[in-house]
Amino acid sequence: MNSIVTFPNRIPTAEFEERRFKVYTDRQLDKIEVIQNLPEETLFEMKVVASVLPFRVNEYVINELINWDKVPNDPIYQLVFPQKGMLKDEHYERMAKMHREGADKKEIQAVAKEIRDELNPHPAGQMEMNMPELDGEVLDGVQHKYRETVLFFPAQGQTCHSYCTFCFRWAQFVGDKDLKMSSTEAEKLHGYLREHTEVTDLLVTGGDPMVMKTKNLVQYLEPLLQPEFDHIQTIRIGTKALTFWPYRFVTDKDADELIDLFARLVEAGKHVAIMAHYNHWQEITTEIAEEAIRRIRATGAEIRAQGPLIKHVNDNADAWARLWKKEVQLGIIPYYMFVERDTGAKNYFEVPLAEAFQIYREAMKKVSGLARTARGPSMSAGPGKVEIQGITEIHGEKVFVLRFLQGRNPDWVQRPFFAKYSETATWLHELEPAFGEDKFFFEDEFEQMKMGNG
């Protein structure tokens, strides 16, 4: 039974009803009442795609964020519900045939695994090049790609309140242990950080760390307040909860403890940055979403917003400009516009780099300087984060102007380089060096890095 909850803690909150979290997966598609009005063929397509790619959605997203009068074109519907085009035609037909013929669960899972293996489940070398060691042992659930930043994947945070259909970490959620990255070992994480004083930033990611109970988050973060971790200046928490379940910060049973944890970290001198994943302005149109933002900011933590440019969801300048304006209004810092990664359902969601830059540029023209903090379009590729700075003509050759925002070798950062202009390229490996060069300046060194991790 719902009840009205108010909190007496240091950060006052308005009155909001406590909500029960109810989620649906591919096994409960027939229990989602609102989609039963969709065409039968559409429901079959959902079932087929959800056999291969992860599907999970909760009632808040269904009831509060999707405009069902605009389905199938509503951006949040596209963000969470499977679409036929997410699978290549040959993959879709293989799986559809299994369902039409009444194949059993084991047969369907076998075909699903074959298809998944063809979808580049771990892009950018994340399972080969980013795995650190402690005392000669590989640390599961930890990645160290850039010198200053360590990523941590706590085992209790390896799911989300809902799944994004385009997610580049989709392989985490399909039940294949070989594709998972996670760790429950706080001591090993702390041991690694203790030894690596060059690390200034810890990024807790997933999945979504905000699906964890606060007590679990405390065991990872509270020890960082000890003097031996003074070099850890920034604690980042990557989350989609501000969209998919803002109640996590307001009315969940341990919401107060979570807010208090943020406040204690800030008071102890840590920079706490909530790396919020937003894709469309519809995600911040509810009162509970705004209240969650207000409570977090009241602790002294900051919220930075990032998300990819994706076809069918936000591939137009007006959507981005409206999103950035709303974020600035609510005190959120626009941080990154990413390019959809080369994994999973990229064939459905990817936008050519040339078009992505034009959308970014047009959106930037529509906002004030405070919203122009969003960097992009940026590719989180194997060598590092590569930003498209512009499209221009030099000595009669049309080129992309590129630079590293972050690199495996810090010396690459901020160094401009050029690629031949392409109308169709959607990722770094599809670009060719300009001006007759055989290779980009970083390629030989990057190949040596890969061999060293082979």
Side-chain angles (χ1 to χ4, degrees):
M1 184 175 178
N2 289 341
S3 59
I4 300 295
V5 178
T6 58
F7 297 107
N9 68 337
R10 74 179 91 180
I11 299 155
T13 187
E15 291 187 351
F16 286 91
E17 286 191 2
E18 186 177 357
R19 287 278 292 270
R20 182 172 64 95
F21 180 73
K22 184 171 183 180
V23 71
Y24 302 90
T25 68
D26 59 313
R27 296 185 297 276
Q28 292 101 31
L29 274 169
D30 60 340
K31 300 290 194 300
I32 305 174
E33 291 184 15
V34 70
I35 69 169
Q36 305 312 316
N37 298 322
L38 297 176
E40 192 172 323
E41 182 63 20
T42 299
L43 296 177
F44 178 74
E45 291 167 1
M46 282 187 186
K47 184 178 179 182
V48 171
V49 175
S51 300
V52 179
L53 297 169
F55 167 72
R56 179 179 169 93
V57 67
N58 69 66
E59 278 191 340
Y60 168 75
V61 176
I62 293 171
N63 296 332
E64 304 293 333
L65 299 185
I66 296 174
N67 183 342
W68 288 96
D69 292 334
K70 293 186 177 180
V71 167
N73 297 319
D74 178 81
I76 310 303
Y77 173 79
Q78 290 281 336
L79 185 68
V80 294
F81 279 93
Q83 310 295 315
K84 180 181 179 182
M86 287 167 55
L87 294 180
K88 293 180 179 178
D89 290 344
E90 61 268 29
H91 291 157
Y92 178 84
E93 289 305 325
R94 277 173 65 190
M95 183 55 76
K97 184 172 183 288
M98 301 296 289
H99 283 281
R100 292 189 187 109
E101 294 176 354
D104 63 31
K105 183 179 178 181
K106 192 173 181 180
E107 292 173 309
I108 288 173
Q109 288 178 338
V111 172
K113 187 178 189 317
E114 291 174 5
I115 295 172
R116 289 168 189 154
D117 288 344
E118 296 178 38
L119 299 180
N120 189 23
H122 284 300
Q126 61 186 20
M127 291 296 274
E128 296 84 29
M129 298 187 69
N130 307 339
M131 307 297 284
E133 295 184 359
L134 179 67
D135 299 329
E137 291 185 16
V138 172
L139 288 183
D140 290 332
V142 179
Q143 288 191 2
H144 194 177
K145 180 176 180 179
Y146 306 124
R147 180 181 58 192
E148 301 86 0
T149 306
V150 162
L151 276 66
F152 180 57
F153 298 75
Q156 305 96 327
Q158 294 312 300
T159 186
C160 300
H161 294 101
S162 291
Y163 291 152
C164 296
T165 43
F166 62 81
C167 183
F168 79 92
R169 287 194 179 136
W170 61 270
Q172 294 277 93
F173 313 129
V174 292
D176 188 333
K177 291 181 181 178
D178 292 336
L179 296 180
K180 274 202 165 190
M181 299 177 294
S182 65
S183 173
T184 56
E185 299 180 90
E187 287 185 9
K188 286 188 177 181
L189 168 68
H190 298 145
Y192 185 81
L193 294 177
R194 196 178 289 114
E195 285 191 5
H196 289 267
T197 55
E198 78 278 13
V199 175
T200 60
D201 290 40
L202 174 66
L203 170 55
V204 186
T205 183
D208 193 326
M210 291 296 96
V211 303
M212 288 195 295
K213 298 294 185 186
T214 301
K215 64 181 181 181
N216 293 322
L217 197 58
V218 166
Q219 71 171 324
Y220 297 124
L221 300 186
E222 199 169 56
L224 301 181
L225 299 180
Q226 298 169 11
E228 60 191 314
F229 296 108
D230 282 350
H231 58 288
I232 305 298
Q233 300 168 3
T234 299
I235 297 170
R236 308 186 207 175
I237 300 174
T239 183
K240 187 76 176 174
L242 282 164
T243 287
F244 285 159
W245 190 246
Y247 294 93
R248 177 69 188 91
F249 308 94
V250 183
T251 63
D252 276 8
K253 286 182 170 55
D254 60 350
D256 277 1
E257 290 86 346
L258 179 63
I259 293 298
D260 184 66
L261 173 63
F262 293 165
R264 286 190 291 117
L265 292 170
V266 171
E267 287 169 5
K270 300 296 184 184
H271 178 174
V272 178
I274 306 303
M275 314 307 290
H277 203 292
Y278 289 114
N279 301 104
H280 197 274
W281 54 264
Q282 278 180 218
E283 296 172 292
I284 26 182
T285 54
T286 64
E287 290 184 7
I288 190 69
E290 291 198 17
E291 178 65 7
I293 292 164
R294 189 195 69 78
R295 291 199 91 205
I296 291 170
R297 292 189 65 233
T299 68
E302 71 174 21
I303 304 172
R304 290 178 181 261
Q306 57 191 26
L309 171 64
I310 36 183
K311 202 170 183 179
H312 309 292
V313 174
N314 59 17
D315 54 334
N316 68 85
D318 288 341
W320 280 95
R322 185 168 177 180
L323 173 64
W324 288 335
K325 287 178 182 177
K326 183 66 174 178
E327 288 169 352
V328 169
Q329 178 190 346
L330 295 174
I332 298 171
I333 303 166
Y335 186 49
Y336 269 121
M337 173 199 274
F338 287 116
V339 175
E340 171 64 358
R341 289 203 188 187
D342 56 335
T343 181
K346 76 178 185 70
N347 58 294
Y348 185 70
F349 292 113
E350 64 187 356
V351 175
L353 299 175
E355 183 182 344
F357 176 74
Q358 293 302 338
I359 291 171
Y360 174 82
R361 183 167 179 265
E362 289 302 313
M364 279 286 161
K365 287 159 60 175
K366 298 173 185 287
V367 299
S368 73
L370 288 179
R372 291 180 182 173
T373 52
R375 295 177 291 182
S378 172
M379 294 172 276
S380 290
K385 285 189 175 73
V386 177
E387 178 191 43
I388 305 164
Q389 285 201 286
I391 298 170
T392 191
E393 192 169 298
I394 301 176
H395 300 310
E397 183 174 346
K398 194 173 185 181
V399 295
F400 287 113
V401 184
L402 308 167
R403 69 168 174 172
F404 279 96
L405 295 172
Q406 184 62 281
R408 288 189 185 273
N409 181 344
D411 287 340
W412 300 347
V413 174
Q414 298 295 316
R415 181 171 170 180
F417 62 104
F418 303 90
K420 292 179 182 178
Y421 178 78
S422 168
E423 291 279 356
T424 58
T426 60
W427 199 248
L428 184 63
H429 68 257
E430 297 175 14
L431 296 178
E432 299 177 25
F435 313 131
E437 297 289 331
D438 292 331
K439 298 178 180 178
F440 293 118
F441 77 89
F442 57 86
E443 285 193 69
D444 286 340
E445 187 176 354
F446 181 55
E447 287 301 316
Q448 290 174 358
M449 291 177 179
K450 288 198 289 186
M451 290 173 64
N453 285 271

